[in-house]
């Protein structure tokens, strides 16, 4: 068990999240993909704090903060999605292209 | 007193200028109450003053060496432009001639322009001409001669274009300006090119330089050719002669001046530059060629004209051609004498015919006739003008033509032939005009034709008297050759050629056995002469066509290429904006993708040095 494996897993998770963010048509799935990104970051933080800073474990504190903020952000994100849904009766990301050129 | 007047003779052009500027207020737009007549009277007084001044100065200058006055004009960086005023019997004599003719023409104009409101403009332009010509005669500097010639070109444009509501006047004024301007521009090239060669523009110094100058014959040939181009346009020589024909659209009184003095302004410069021209035989031959072709061609054309004023204008071109021949064969005195005798006779002819035009309305000689019984004074004036112009002893031009042919008799006999031919042809054409105007039976247009009123007859009669007295004047100034040294053969030939031309013409036009109007057996030749060798078409098909095509091409290049390149830059920016705005797709996910791509590319670029080469090695 080495640091690199954790980092590679986190990177892979990040990439999957990015792929989801960019390709999903459902707005809720975009939010879910963002959660994947944040979790990939959390994995990184935890891995670093375990292998490099096992005394003061500042990474774990960061992770706690990230989880907290991610929860708040998800709440706001879902609220936004709901607000849009109320107006436009859809959550299809491709219907939200009103602010173009 | 007269000595003082001699020293201040440079004031003579200023009188005329003052007169010209005083005439302007009586333009119809400024002083409305008095009418335009005071403009004429003011000018008449100023011209008379300048005539008196120069006439008294002429007496004082007799048997005196020429003096020179210098008025500094501009001195910059090694170039010293000083106006040199030459006071000699010749230049003051020129002043007397110009002021005298101008005075008579202005009296004539007071009669002729009676029903016209444009006196302010007309008389101020006449004053400008008088000032310009006087200044030209006094000026002893090529550069300032050029300046004056250009001002006179502008004056011609304005004076020919006096009645600008007529379309032919507008085109005539345009052609007069552009044709003379072309000649003047070549003259400017010559003037500028002679400075590095001679280092002076003073005529006297130019003559001294020319005496012992050793210059490249090609260079001096080209410079001199440019220098004769100016007088060529001024003197209405082939091929720059069309303007004088079209300038006949202007009022008659100005024609008096133009035919007698203005065209001679080119001849004056030519005579002054004669020492320079003598350096290059090519130029002398060119002048003789131009002069001979113009003299013969224009006198032939004059025979075929039906417009009274144009008949006379081509005779003027022909006589200026003779002046060209005289200068080309280095005979300044003959040239100046010819200019003098031609000026007074031509002015008399124009005055006589101008009076006829004034109350017969038409200028078409085929519609006039039978005036002799009712217009004796005009008739006599025309006869005397004719005899004074052709070689008819003892009147003026005979002596000028004698002096010219006398030298040529030995050196270039064929030129004597040309002079005799021109003399005979001019005699023919002038007699033809006389017979058509005064002979025969009255026609519809000349049925009732009283003699004109005094302001037109008076100057005519005074000038008539002067033309008759000219031989006596020349005799008293000992300008005539003595009877003993006279070449009798030449004299007889000249007299015979005149008699020959006059009598043939009189027989043809006064007798009834040839039906009028006369048709030559060759219609083409008659038309060729009547339309002056189709010169307008010739201009239109060569120079005008060329310039027009180049102008259109340049305009097209300007519009399409130059404008196009600049506009293309603008269009490219607009199209760029129009095309690139679609990058703002409105899709949030696309923006996210763009951000990611940006970050990745920047990251790849920054970290390239740590992995790039290995990566490339791995692939290739």
């Amino acid at each position: 068990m080495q640091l690199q494996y954790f980092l590679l897993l986190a990177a892979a998770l990040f990439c999957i999240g990015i792929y989801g963010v960019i390709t999903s048509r459902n707005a809720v799935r975009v939010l879910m993909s963002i959660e994947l990104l944040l979790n990939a970051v959390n994995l990184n933080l935890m891995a670093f704090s375990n292998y490099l800073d096992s005394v003061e474990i500042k990474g774990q504190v960061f992770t706690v903060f990230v989880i907290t903020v991610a929860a708040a952000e998800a709440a706001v994100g879902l609220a936004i999605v709901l607000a849009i849904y109320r107006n436009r009766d859809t959550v299809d990301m491709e219907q939200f292209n009103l602010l173009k050129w | 007193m007269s000595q003082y007047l001699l020293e201040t003779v440079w004031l003579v052009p200023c009188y005329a200028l003052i007169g010209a500027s005083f005439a302007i207020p009586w333009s119809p737009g400024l002083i409305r109450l008095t009418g335009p007549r005071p403009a004429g009277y003011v000018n008449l007084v100023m011209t008379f003053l300048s005539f008196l001044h120069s006439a008294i100065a002429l007496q004082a200058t007799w048997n005196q060496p020429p003096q020179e006055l210098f008025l500094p004009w501009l001195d910059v960086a090694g170039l010293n432009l000083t106006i040199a005023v030459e006071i000699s019997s010749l230049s003051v004599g020129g002043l007397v001639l110009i002021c005298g003719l101008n005075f008579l023409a202005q009296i004539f104009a007071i009669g002729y322009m009676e029903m016209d409101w444009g006196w302010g403009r007309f008389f101020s332009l006449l004053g400008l001409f008088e000032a310009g010509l006087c200044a030209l005669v006094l000026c002893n500097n090529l550069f300032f001669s050029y300046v004056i010639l250009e001002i006179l070109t502008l004056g011609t444009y304005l004076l020919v274009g006096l009645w600008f509501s007529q379309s032919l006047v507008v085109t005539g004024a345009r052609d007069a300006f552009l044709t003379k301007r072309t000649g003047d521009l070549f003259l400017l090239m010559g003037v500028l090119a002679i400075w590095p060669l001679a280092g002076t523009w003073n005529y006297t110094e130019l003559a001294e330089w020319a005496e012992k100058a050793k210059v490249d014959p090609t260079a001096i040939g080209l410079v001199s050719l440019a220098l004769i181009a100016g007088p060529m346009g001024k003197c209405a020589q082939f091929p720059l002669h069309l303007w004088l024909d079209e300038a006949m659209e202007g009022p008659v009184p100005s024609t008096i001046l133009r035919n007698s003095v203005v065209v001679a302004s080119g001849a004056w410069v030519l005579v002054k530059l004669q020492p320079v021209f003598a350096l290059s035989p090519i130029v002398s031959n060119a002048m003789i060629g131009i002069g001979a072709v113009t003299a013969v061609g224009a006198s032939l054309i004059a025979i075929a004209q039906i417009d009274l004023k144009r008949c006379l204008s081509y005779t003027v071109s022909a006589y200026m051609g003779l002046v060209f021949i005289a200068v080309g064969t280095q005979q300044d005195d003959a040239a100046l004498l010819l200019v003098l005798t031609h000026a007074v006779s031509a002015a008399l002819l124009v005055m006589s015919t101008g009076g006829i035009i004034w109350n017969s309305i038409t200028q078409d000689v085929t519609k006039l006739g039978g005036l002799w019984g009712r217009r004796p004074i005009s008739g006599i004036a025309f006869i005397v003008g004719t005899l004074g112009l052709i070689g008819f002893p003892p009147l003026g031009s005979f002596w000028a033509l004698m002096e010219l042919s006398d030298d040529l008799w030995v050196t270039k006999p064929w030129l004597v032939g040309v002079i005799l031919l021109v003399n005979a042809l001019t005699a023919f054409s002038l007699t033809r005009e006389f017979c058509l105007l005064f002979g025969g039976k009255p026609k519809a247009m000349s049925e009732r034709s009283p003699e004109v009123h005094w302001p037109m007859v008076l100057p005519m009669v005074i000038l008539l008297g002067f033309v008759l007295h000219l031989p006596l004047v020349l005799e008293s100034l000992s300008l005539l050759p003595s009877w003993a040294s006279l070449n009798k053969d030449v004299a007889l030939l000249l007299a015979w050629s005149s008699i020959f031309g006059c009598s043939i013409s009189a027989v043809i036009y006064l007798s009834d056995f040839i039906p009028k109007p006369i048709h030559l057996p060759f219609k083409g030749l008659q038309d060729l002469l009547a339309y002056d060798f189709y010169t307008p078409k010739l201009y239109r098909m060569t120079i005008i066509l060329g310039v027009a095509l180049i102008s259109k091409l340049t305009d097209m290049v300007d519009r399409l290429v130059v404008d196009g390149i600049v506009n293309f830059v603008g269009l490219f920016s607009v199209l760029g904006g129009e095309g690139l705005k679609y990058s703002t797709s409105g899709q949030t996910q696309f923006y996210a993708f763009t951000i990611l791509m940006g970050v990745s590319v920047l990251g790849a670029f920054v970290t390239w040095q740590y992995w790039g080469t290995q990566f490339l090695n791995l692939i290739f």
Side-chain angles (χ1 to χ4, degrees), chain B residues 12-181:
Chain B
V12 169
C14 305
Y15 292 142
L17 267 189
I18 292 167
S21 48
F22 274 165
I24 293 172
W26 280 285
S27 305
L30 299 175
I31 298 183
R32 289 165 182 279
L33 290 178
T34 61
R37 302 188 74 90
Y41 303 146
V42 167
N43 257 283
L44 205 61
V45 170
M46 295 315 286
T47 307
F48 186 64
L49 277 182
S50 51
F51 176 69
L52 271 187
H53 189 149
S54 43
I56 296 172
L58 182 62
Q59 291 177 342
T61 183
W62 213 249
N63 293 328
Q64 298 244 338
Q67 304 172 32
E68 224 171 339
L69 294 181
F70 295 99
L71 307 173
W73 187 59
L74 188 66
D75 191 1
V76 281
L79 180 67
N80 185 10
L81 293 174
T82 302
I83 304 174
V85 176
E86 188 198 71
I87 304 174
S88 62
S89 0
L90 181 64
S91 63
V92 181
L95 288 186
V96 174
L97 178 71
I98 291 162
C99 297
L101 280 175
N102 209 34
F103 182 61
L104 295 178
Q106 284 184 357
I107 303 178
F108 190 89
I110 282 178
Y112 191 92
M113 304 289 279
E114 189 169 292
M115 309 290 269
D116 195 285
W117 270 86
W119 284 36
R121 207 145 46 86
F122 180 70
F123 277 95
S124 63
L125 287 171
L126 281 193
L128 176 72
F129 263 98
E130 189 194 336
L133 290 168
C134 290
L136 181 73
V137 166
L138 284 177
C139 169
N140 195 27
N141 188 312
L142 180 58
F143 180 76
F144 290 99
S145 293
Y146 168 76
V147 170
I148 296 162
L149 284 184
E150 283 284 29
I151 294 172
L152 288 184
T153 301
L154 178 65
T156 305
Y157 177 71
L158 298 172
L159 193 54
V160 174
L162 187 77
W163 293 319
F164 49 76
S165 53
Q166 303 174 10
S167 60
L168 283 179
V169 165
V170 176
T171 53
R174 175 200 65 191
D175 291 352
F177 183 73
L178 291 180
T179 314
K180 296 216 279 180
R181 190 87 182 74

Side-chain angles (χ1 to χ4, degrees), chain B residues 400-410 416 419 490 494:
Chain B
L401 293 174
M402 260 307 294
E403 196 173 336
L404 184 54
S405 343
D406 208 7
D407 288 358
L408 297 177
W409 187 250
V410 192
V416 180
I419 292 168
V490 180
L494 260 181

